[in-house]
Amino acid sequence: MTWYVLYTKPRNEKKMATLLEEAGVEAYCPVREEVKQWSDRKKKVIVPVFTSYIFVRLADYDAQSAEILEMHGAVRFLWWNKKPGVVRDSEIEAIKSFLNEYRDADITIDLIEGQDVTVMEGPLRETEGKVIRVEGGKAVLHLKSIGLNLVAKIPVQSLKINNK
């Protein structure tokens, strides 16, 4: 079975993952806890890590994808190089480990946009990516093998700048 990336309607990630699970399809919606501020209160809420994206595990993409796209909340599958975007099991496990390990970390990095980097330690070890931007102590990395942007707080000592 292979993991694919499903693009959902905005704010439908968790609901879509639940619908898929109820239909017997394995789905993974990475989430994190965030404190939201309203005018009268603060509240901890669970939000998706990847806005409008979830991971779906299918045995036969051709046979199962059409049925999934008919479900309320599904938009399309992510394609990469004219093929459905495939995510390896190890990458799904790395995302899960990353979210568990760095849940409360407050780490800053100092990188330059456009740099190719390799994560040298932690759950994303040996994952290559490109720094898209650095903002407020966070680096937005484009993970080449996944084709998604991941906002991550990673210690600068955990990154190796790749030579071209």
Side-chain angles (χ1 to χ4, degrees), residues 2-163:
T2 306
W3 288 99
Y4 297 93
V5 182
L6 178 66
Y7 184 71
T8 69
K9 289 182 180 178
R11 298 187 186 131
N12 273 256
E13 304 91 348
K14 294 187 292 185
K15 184 187 291 186
M16 188 75 224
T18 301
L19 284 173
L20 287 166
E21 292 285 347
E22 289 172 354
V25 178
E26 187 176 356
Y28 172 54
C29 178
V31 293
R32 62 185 167 82
E33 191 174 84
E34 188 176 279
V35 177
K36 295 281 189 177
Q37 174 72 52
W38 284 271
S39 60
D40 61 337
R41 68 187 186 285
K42 287 183 182 179
K43 184 177 181 182
K44 289 183 181 180
V45 293
I46 304 297
V47 297
V49 172
F50 303 113
T51 305
S52 294
Y53 289 103
I54 63 170
F55 301 99
V56 181
R57 194 169 193 183
L58 304 176
D60 183 358
Y61 177 83
D62 294 329
Q64 295 176 284
S65 61
E67 183 179 324
I68 290 171
L69 291 174
E70 291 177 6
M71 298 176 87
H72 180 73
V75 175
R76 64 181 170 83
F77 281 92
L78 181 74
W79 283 62
W80 187 259
N81 292 331
K82 300 181 182 179
K83 295 184 282 190
V86 173
V87 180
R88 296 187 306 255
D89 287 336
S90 62
E91 293 168 326
I92 295 293
E93 290 306 316
I95 291 168
K96 289 178 180 179
S97 296
F98 177 84
L99 293 173
N100 284 331
E101 187 169 324
Y102 292 108
R103 187 178 336 189
D104 298 323
D106 187 21
I107 303 165
T108 60
I109 59 173
D110 187 25
L111 296 171
I112 299 170
E113 294 175 14
Q115 283 181 313
D116 289 319
V117 296
T118 301
V119 180
M120 299 304 295
E121 55 188 31
L124 294 174
R125 186 169 49 107
E126 298 180 19
T127 302
E128 293 184 4
K130 182 180 285 284
V131 177
I132 302 299
R133 67 182 176 278
V134 180
E135 55 186 32
K138 294 181 182 179
V140 178
L141 299 179
H142 179 77
L143 301 180
K144 296 174 183 176
S145 59
I146 300 176
L148 294 175
N149 291 332
L150 171 67
V151 179
K153 289 183 179 181
I154 299 177
V156 70
Q157 64 270 21
S158 296
L159 297 174
K160 174 184 149 208
I161 297 171
N162 300 340
N163 296 325

